[in-house]
Amino acid sequence: MVTLRLSIGNHVDEPELKLPKITSLCIILAMNVLLQISFFIIVSSSNEYAEYLGGSSTFSGLVIGIPTVFGGVALVPMTGFDKGRYAMPLHVGCLAAILGHIAYASAYRLHFLYLILIGRCLNGISFTGFMYTKRYCTDPRIVGIRRRTTLASWLVIGQGLGMTLGPFSGGLLYKIGFSNPVFNGYTSPGWVMACVYVVLLDHHCTILRGCSSGELRFPHRQRVHFRSGLVNAPRPSHDNQGGTLFTRQTVTGLRIPFHHVPATQCGVVFCMCWFAMLCFFILGSWEANLPVFGAATPDLRWSPFAAGNFIALGGITAFPFLLANIFFVGRIQDRKLLALGCGLGLSGLTVFLSLLRTGKINYGSLFMCWWAIALGFNLATTVTLSLLSKQLPPERNRWSSMVIQYSNYTGRVTGAVWGGSGVSVGMLNYVGLEIALVGIGAALFATLWRNLKTKTG
């Protein structure tokens, strides 16, 4: 972590460069990678697993995406009991993941289709961790404003690792075969991940408690009294780069009513929520669609192993660029990084649409489209929350983390279902909808361009 320098774990003279303790940060980043692998490890074989148990490709897409629905439902009570800390949600998430993966793996022996759905629903409780990792990396109590996009970049690297290791591991485990009714090509991802979470919970509970240390406690809020119902709402100031932010004096100890947030920033919130949904919708739909489309295309005829390798190859080749992004994020404005990522992803969608129209689909051309989409939209996810955290008052970080995560959840579940249905609805319709959604985002982006400027880093 060269870009984090020696300021990790120390009090920095410059508050804008503040960073959390290295041990706590490593735990959060490792948990993010593990959650990503858990989400993606079934992608390559879930379609055949569902069909073996009597389901369809659409049901397979639902199995991939349904955890995010239950993650969204579990997020409300979880945030009510977390007390602004991180250890309890991580422990609960590990327990839920263990039960979920065991249920997913047991469906083969019991030959019960809906048990894989139940298992993934339990996994969804553990996926509340996605919100907590994002919130940690933008928490104004421990992360300075010029470090939030940098830490978000590390989360995106974990996202890329999960997108690579998950499908590859799932495809590799599929090669085990089916001689054993308990541990075989369909069930092995569930058993392996359950064991990983058991080890994490058994050996690292003490370390995970480090995430509830004093560095993460909320400061005592001041009681503020208003006369005649009049409130002097904090107005945004501008830094020397022209970025919009709230000054420390306007937000210390004060809970800002939402209707006192300027209208332009309401637009920024909606814009970031749209892109948070959009990126995960497209990534999730492609990850669910590629195994189905690859198996149905005469020139490809992929097995789950081949599909997993293809998805992983896109992540591996995009990974160096995601890593390089960490070193450039301090020099590039968040809005420009968002434009770059979405533009690259849109180019991949456009080329794929033209390939579908001409019928010239082969391994190389499909890979270039997948690479551009995987890299572009992963890059774009870097800034959705970090940009909001720089523009909204610190008191709003918890709220902004939740709305961005709910947007991610919405994109993941609808994208997975849409991807599983892609061949059924027609691939031209499938890609056309995705391009239309990017077009709506581009209109929002162009309208709010000036309001999206923030500090770099």
Side-chain angles (χ1 to χ4, degrees):
M1 294 187 182
V2 178
T3 59
L4 300 187
R5 299 177 186 174
L6 299 177
S7 57
I8 294 183
N10 300 322
H11 294 288
V12 184
D13 292 336
E14 178 57 57
E16 292 185 348
L17 302 178
K18 181 171 57 175
L19 283 165
K21 293 180 180 178
I22 183 64
T23 51
S24 298
L25 181 58
C26 287
I27 291 167
I28 293 297
L29 296 177
M31 192 67 181
N32 175 59
V33 173
L34 191 57
L35 289 170
Q36 298 288 351
I37 293 174
S38 294
F39 187 86
F40 290 114
I41 195 169
I42 71 158
V43 166
S44 55
S45 60
S46 65
N47 185 52
E48 290 200 5
Y49 193 10
E51 289 180 348
Y52 169 79
L53 295 175
S56 63
S57 296
T58 302
F59 185 86
S60 169
L62 184 63
V63 167
I64 295 172
I66 196 67
T68 58
V69 175
F70 281 79
V73 172
L75 204 53
V76 175
M78 194 80 80
T79 53
F81 289 100
D82 64 19
K83 298 179 180 178
R85 301 177 185 179
Y86 298 89
M88 184 275 287
L90 294 179
H91 293 154
V92 172
C94 284
L95 288 171
I98 292 168
L99 295 175
H101 284 297
I102 290 175
Y104 182 87
S106 301
Y108 185 91
R109 183 66 181 267
L110 299 175
H111 203 81
F112 181 32
L113 174 65
Y114 289 97
L115 191 56
I116 63 176
L117 194 64
I118 293 169
R120 291 291 285 176
C121 291
L122 288 170
N123 282 148
I125 299 175
S126 70
F127 292 160
T128 56
F130 286 131
M131 190 279 290
Y132 284 99
T133 56
K134 291 180 178 70
R135 194 175 86 182
Y136 186 92
C137 290
T138 58
D139 196 329
R141 297 169 293 175
I142 51 177
V143 182
I145 195 171
R146 290 187 180 274
R147 289 292 186 241
R148 295 174 195 172
T149 306
T150 302
L151 295 191
S153 298
W154 281 104
L155 290 181
V156 172
I157 285 180
Q159 192 172 293
L161 283 173
M163 189 178 69
T164 301
L165 295 177
F168 175 76
S169 301
L172 190 63
L173 290 169
Y174 178 81
K175 300 288 285 183
I176 290 174
F178 301 92
S179 59
N180 190 311
V182 177
F183 192 86
N184 54 52
Y186 293 149
T187 66
S188 51
W191 292 121
V192 169
M193 292 308 301
C195 291
V196 171
Y197 278 107
V198 167
V199 171
L200 178 68
L201 193 62
D202 183 49
H203 294 286
H204 297 292
C205 276
T206 303
I207 301 176
L208 287 173
R209 289 192 191 100
C211 293
S212 62
S213 59
E215 65 169 340
L216 297 176
R217 291 174 185 167
F218 280 111
H220 294 292
R221 293 191 180 95
Q222 301 172 2
R223 295 190 177 182
V224 183
H225 302 279
F226 303 102
R227 285 186 242 168
S228 306
L230 297 176
V231 179
N232 291 323
R235 296 184 178 276
S237 63
H238 299 273
D239 66 352
N240 55 8
Q241 296 179 348
T244 305
L245 67 153
F246 279 86
T247 59
R248 182 182 302 273
Q249 290 78 7
T250 60
V251 299
T252 302
L254 176 61
R255 185 178 292 279
I256 311 299
F258 186 78
H259 59 275
H260 290 296
V261 176
T264 53
Q265 289 196 323
C266 291
V268 171
V269 171
F270 180 79
C271 182
M272 291 302 101
C273 287
W274 180 265
F275 278 105
M277 180 280 296
L278 171 69
C279 292
F280 280 95
F281 176 85
I282 294 177
L283 290 171
S285 67
W286 273 70
E287 287 147 4
N289 178 261
L290 282 171
V292 181
F293 177 71
T297 303
D299 292 338
L300 299 176
R301 294 296 180 188
W302 287 342
S303 66
F305 179 68
N309 286 344
F310 183 86
I311 296 171
L313 184 61
I316 291 172
T317 51
F319 183 79
F321 297 91
L322 296 177
L323 189 62
N325 178 53
I326 292 179
F327 299 94
F328 293 102
V329 75
R331 304 183 182 95
I332 303 175
Q333 291 180 14
D334 288 3
R335 59 178 181 170
K336 293 181 179 179
L337 186 59
L338 181 63
L340 174 65
C342 289
L344 183 59
L346 179 60
S347 67
L349 290 173
T350 305
V351 172
F352 184 60
L353 182 64
S354 66
L355 291 173
L356 289 172
R357 287 187 175 279
T358 58
K360 297 180 179 179
I361 299 289
N362 55 50
Y363 194 97
S365 61
L366 181 59
F367 173 76
M368 290 306 299
C369 296
W370 168 232
W371 175 84
I373 290 166
L375 175 59
F377 289 111
N378 270 303
L379 276 178
T381 61
T382 304
V383 303
T384 50
L385 179 56
S386 63
L387 189 149
L388 273 190
S389 73
K390 294 174 183 179
Q391 291 214 0
L392 294 177
E395 284 283 331
R396 285 289 172 190
N397 183 64
R398 184 168 180 159
W399 174 85
S400 62
S401 301
M402 289 189 67
V403 295
I404 290 295
Q405 189 58 51
Y406 276 117
S407 301
N408 291 344
Y409 283 154
T410 303
R412 278 188 186 273
V413 67
T414 54
V417 174
W418 182 243
S421 307
V423 174
S424 301
V425 301
M427 291 301 293
L428 289 175
N429 295 329
Y430 164 79
V431 181
L433 175 64
E434 294 177 349
I435 292 176
L437 293 176
V438 177
I440 295 172
L444 287 170
F445 193 78
T447 304
L448 296 166
W449 174 257
R450 294 185 62 185
N451 303 103
L452 294 172
K453 190 171 185 179
T454 60
K455 290 188 176 184
T456 59

